[in-house]
Structures are given as structure tokens and as C-alpha cells.
Amino acid sequence: MKNRRSFFRNAFGLGAGIVSASKLAPAEQNPARVETPDIADLPFTVDNGTKVFHLVAEPVKQQIAPNKTIDVWGFNGSAPGPTIQITQGDRVRILFDNHLPEPTSMHWHGFEIPHNMDGGPGISQDAVPPGGRFVYEFTLRQAGTYFYHSHMAMQEMMGMLGAFIMHPKAAYTPRVDKDFVVLLQEYAVLPNNTVPNTMNMEFNWLVFNGKTGPATTPLVVRLGDRVRIRTINLGMDHHPIHLHGHTFYTTGTEGGRIPEIAWIPGNTVLVGVAQSRDVEFIANNPGDWMLHCHLPHHMMNQMSSNVGPMSRKGAGMPAGVDMNQGMGMLTGTPGAPMGDDYGPSLGRGLGVGSTADQPVSNNPMQGTNHGDMKMDIAPNANRVPGFPQDAYMEGPMMAMDEMVERPQNYGLRKGWSGFMQGMMSFVRVLPPDEYDKVMEQIRQGKPANPMNMPGMHHPM
Ligand SMILES: [Cu+2]
């Protein structure tokens, strides 16, 4: 069983020369480091003044929610891959190994580096074959929120993205107390499947740092902290990222720092595909404030098919016709699946959204008990056109507080998790005593619920 602490113990155990900071509370240990909730940092060694990283492209099993693990492609055990942090002016060498079953390469998005280091397969280099290695080496003069990704489109949609933070030589002013990275990705995973459909144009799993609400780890800050959140988007959609309770300023883009005179106030920042946006604010309003993409379909899980937990008593969610009607397999006359009666429709009519969707299993919805939390619907609900809308997508029966338990969730309102889905997390602005309680639990390495969150942190 791996938790974050044992992971880092292992990472540090690799020997002298590993100088990556601990993930436990990096912002506290060194203000010039960012924290990527749910994603590790990539450690490095130093060779003659050059920072040496080892990045491995490989298939990974990414647990995006309790009981939902998908097969994606990432780096060093996670998708997105580990966060790389360097300081402006650093010379870096990246040993890039391809453990995928097909060629790939590593593109350094927005880096002003020599052309032969750009990672464009067939353009600036031969793609790295399966089992192959390519060594990238360059000096970085830029500063800001950058990222790395495969430059092969379908591989990008399989998860191959990671943050590459270039800290400025002289810290930006005003300095921030907390600095977070949030990577935005989206997957289309059909029911009963674990592999994203990379050709799909609609997405049912929307993730922050490889987790979907409520499995995302909240950003915990102390009341009065100055906070920076760096969002990075690589997918098919733009995401308007919205923060409750605060006004922030957009202070950076994928091209680096914006001069202060041009900072724009807001509470929603549109993060376009292939862009990054930094926002900063003073966390002066105590509370557990939602941070989320505001596209309604990105605030849900499984939005493209009604295949979530059963919320109706009786026959459950509508799911097309049954095997008999859909495939003519077991009964009927003449009883031959490929006969005249059934042959033309073989395999059709199964599943949600099919031409043969049946209203019969769409039972009236009833108030549902879930533990001690009851879902309330009006007595005449089933006669109201349009019902149900959110009544089955959000609510007590979707709650899984215990399943996503972790120190950062300490003290949240009971049942909170029934209302957190998709690209959704919290900025928890805590008064000093509550903040210290959460930080103490993190320091003690209190793991996420080990029964329900296996494999959250992978060994590199
Ligand atoms: Cu979105």
C-alpha cells in the first residue's frame, strides 16, 4: 500500500543526489516551489551543474475516482506526469525513455530552445521507438507556467501531459504564500470500459490533476495567505475556471508573467486549449470555496451516458432493450439470431441512447434514503416536465465522504461529496487553528483512506 509519505521515503532512499523537496508541504519548506495536489514532483540529480531528470513515458492505471480506474498513458506512473520544477537560467538534461508500445517524443511547450530539442516527431527529430531513449538538454532563460506533452494528438488525449514550472531567478512580487498547479484534462470512457476513446468529441470524465470530484484534493490555505493557482489545459475543450468567494487577478499566461499594470480582475478565467493561466488572490474570506470549471457538463461525472449509480428504485436506470429484444438470442420465432426476424437488427438497440431506448424501465423516481441522508423530491415530481434534472446527478446518494477521506478534507460539511463532480475542487480558506490541524495531519502522513484509494500514488 503506497501513500504519499512512503512514496517519498522510497524516493529519498534512492541515495544521495536526490534533491527534490518533499511533497508534504513544499510551499512551507520553500516558497519558490509549487504544489501539484495528487501529483508528485519529478526528482532530479545534479551533474556538473546540470539538473538531470528521468522521464518515462508509459501506460499507467490512473484512479480518477473511488471505484473508477482507467488505463491511460502518462509518465513515471501517473497521468498527468510528475511536475518538473527548475529555476530560470538552469541547464537541464532529461533522459526520456519510451516504454509505450508505439513511437512517441517529448515536446516542450513554449520553450525557447534549439529546434532539434523541440520534440516534434518527424520534424525536429525521429520519433523515439518503443524501448528507445532520447536525451534532451537545454538551458532555460524563461520563467512561468509551462508544460510538456507528447506531440502525437491521440497520445495527448490518452493523458500525456505534465507541468514544467520555471521559477524566476528573483521571486515575483508580491510573494505568494501558497503556489498550486492544476492540470485540466478530459477523457471519454465508455461504460464498462477503462480505455479512453480518443476519437470521441464529448467527454464524461473531467479531471483536475488526474482526479475527478469529489476525489480531488482541496487546496488548503491559511486565512490571509496570498495564493497563486496555475492552471494548464491540454484537451479538446476550453475551461472557464471559477473560484467562489474571492476576486483574483490573472497574473500570468503560458508565455510567462504579465506586467502588473495589465493584470485583469475576475473570478473566472478561461483557460484555452494549450494555454496556461496564473491567477493570484488574497484568501481573505474564510470558508470552503468551490474551485471548478463552469461548463455545466464539466461539473458532472459520466455526463454522456446515464450509467452512474442507480438512483431509481425498481428497475434502475434506463438502459435500452434487453438481450432478447436487442439481439434475439434466446427466444422468439424462428429463434435464429441471424434469421430474417432478427438478423438486420443484430446488436442494435442495446444501451443508452440507442434507437430502441425503452421507456418501460424509466420508473418514477422516489425519495431515496442513503444512510441518514434522505433525498427530497416533491410529491408531484414525476408529473413535472423536465424532471429529473439534477435530482439524480447530485445529492446525498452520490455522497462518498468516507471513500475520499484525506487530511485536506478534514472538517468539511457532512455529505459535501454528493455535490462535487467533474472538474471541481475546493480552495479551503481556514482560520489559523483549523489550518494548523489540517497541516498537522498532513505532516503525520495520515494517508487517504487506504481501502478505497489504492494506488493513488505510484512508485516511480
Ligand atoms: Cu470545462
Side-chain angles (χ1 to χ4, degrees):
M1 198 65 62
K2 294 272 174 214
N3 58 38
R4 179 166 286 174
R5 171 156 281 195
S6 72
F7 163 76
F8 277 95
R9 219 181 278 131
N10 293 343
F12 284 121
L14 291 175
I18 302 274
V19 289
S20 177
S22 162
K23 267 287 272 171
L24 294 177
E28 298 217 310
Q29 293 177 353
N30 181 351
R33 293 197 73 79
V34 297
E35 183 180 348
T36 313
D38 297 311
I39 294 294
D41 284 339
L42 189 62
F44 60 89
T45 56
V46 179
D47 174 26
N48 246 334
T50 299
K51 288 181 178 168
V52 181
F53 296 89
H54 187 192
L55 199 57
V56 181
E58 60 185 0
V60 302
K61 288 197 181 294
Q62 178 74 29
Q63 188 181 32
I64 57 174
N67 306 321
K68 190 69 187 175
T69 297
I70 57 176
D71 286 290
V72 292
W73 292 357
F75 304 94
N76 300 61
S78 69
T83 295
I84 297 176
Q85 304 194 45
I86 64 103
T87 303
Q88 185 178 27
D90 277 350
R91 182 151 188 91
V92 302
R93 182 182 308 142
I94 294 133
L95 313 177
F96 174 67
D97 286 336
N98 180 11
H99 291 183
L100 295 173
E102 64 182 38
T104 188
S105 66
M106 186 50 52
H107 173 56
W108 313 98
H109 189 99
F111 291 29
E112 296 167 0
I113 51 178
H115 182 257
N116 62 354
M117 291 287 118
D118 187 54
I123 306 300
S124 60
Q125 68 172 91
D126 292 336
V128 185
R133 166 177 285 194
F134 191 91
V135 179
Y136 294 92
E137 184 162 339
F138 35 74
T139 302
L140 294 166
R141 307 286 177 204
Q142 295 160 280
T145 303
Y146 292 85
F147 47 102
Y148 60 88
H149 64 82
S150 160
H151 208 279
M152 295 160 102
M154 295 295 99
Q155 293 177 358
E156 293 174 31
M157 293 310 294
M158 277 292 277
M160 298 189 68
L161 164 69
F164 197 118
I165 306 302
M166 304 186 201
H167 295 285
K169 251 188 186 129
Y172 297 133
T173 53
R175 292 180 76 106
V176 292
D177 303 291
K178 290 278 192 174
D179 200 341
F180 298 101
V181 178
V182 177
L183 295 118
L184 316 175
Q185 292 172 296
E186 51 193 0
Y187 296 112
V189 187
L190 294 170
N192 302 316
N193 228 300
T194 60
V195 181
N197 177 353
T198 54
M199 295 295 286
N200 209 317
M201 292 296 286
E202 70 166 8
F203 303 89
N204 56 347
W205 291 101
L206 286 294
V207 293
F208 277 169
N209 294 339
K211 301 282 179 200
T212 190
T216 47
T217 295
L219 318 184
V220 180
V221 308
R222 190 198 301 265
L223 182 62
D225 273 353
R226 185 176 179 87
V227 180
R228 179 184 298 129
I229 302 174
R230 307 164 183 253
T231 46
I232 294 169
N233 178 18
L234 196 72
M236 287 293 294
D237 289 302
H238 309 312
H239 302 288
I241 301 297
H242 175 59
L243 173 64
H244 290 208
H246 292 81
T247 300
F248 56 54
Y249 284 84
T250 301
T251 60
T253 74
E254 70 281 357
R257 186 76 163 174
I258 299 173
E260 185 166 351
I261 195 167
W263 289 359
I264 299 170
N267 50 59
T268 306
V269 61
L270 183 61
V271 192
V273 173
Q275 295 184 328
S276 78
R277 288 289 179 273
D278 297 353
V279 299
E280 293 180 22
F281 58 97
I282 296 176
N284 55 10
N285 195 0
D288 302 319
W289 299 105
M290 291 168 94
L291 173 74
H292 64 96
C293 175
H294 221 300
L295 290 190
H297 288 189
H298 293 184
M299 300 162 65
M300 302 181 204
N301 293 333
Q302 290 284 29
M303 53 74 51
S304 69
S305 298
N306 294 337
V307 292
M310 301 293 183
S311 59
R312 289 160 191 273
K313 286 189 175 169
M317 304 291 280
V321 296
D322 61 21
M323 288 291 281
N324 291 345
Q325 290 172 283
M327 303 191 79
M329 297 296 278
L330 301 173
T331 61
T333 306
M338 293 304 287
D340 289 344
D341 297 63
Y342 300 117
S345 65
L346 185 72
R348 294 181 195 161
L350 288 169
V352 171
S354 74
T355 51
D357 248 6
Q358 301 284 292
V360 292
S361 61
N362 195 1
N363 284 6
M365 194 183 217
Q366 300 167 29
T368 309
N369 281 308
H370 179 87
D372 56 354
M373 289 177 288
K374 185 167 175 7
M375 179 175 153
D376 294 318
I377 59 171
N380 68 339
N382 291 294
R383 294 200 300 275
V384 177
F387 173 83
Q389 291 297 320
D390 264 24
Y392 77 93
M393 284 299 298
E394 297 179 278
M397 78 273 268
M398 302 299 282
M400 50 181 91
D401 294 11
E402 301 81 17
M403 297 176 86
V404 295
E405 188 185 339
R406 70 200 65 198
Q408 289 86 346
N409 293 345
Y410 174 81
L412 284 171
R413 194 174 189 271
K414 186 173 169 53
W416 64 273
S417 60
F419 296 87
M420 298 283 289
Q421 294 187 25
M423 280 187 172
M424 208 174 268
S425 187
F426 288 110
V427 174
R428 303 192 66 195
V429 181
L430 301 180
D433 53 328
E434 286 179 45
Y435 175 86
D436 290 343
K437 262 184 223 165
V438 171
M439 287 300 133
E440 182 54 29
Q441 290 194 37
I442 294 173
R443 263 189 294 274
Q444 287 170 7
K446 190 177 174 218
N449 187 327
M451 266 185 63
N452 297 299
M453 302 296 279
M456 264 192 69
H457 306 286
H458 302 263
M460 281 190 202

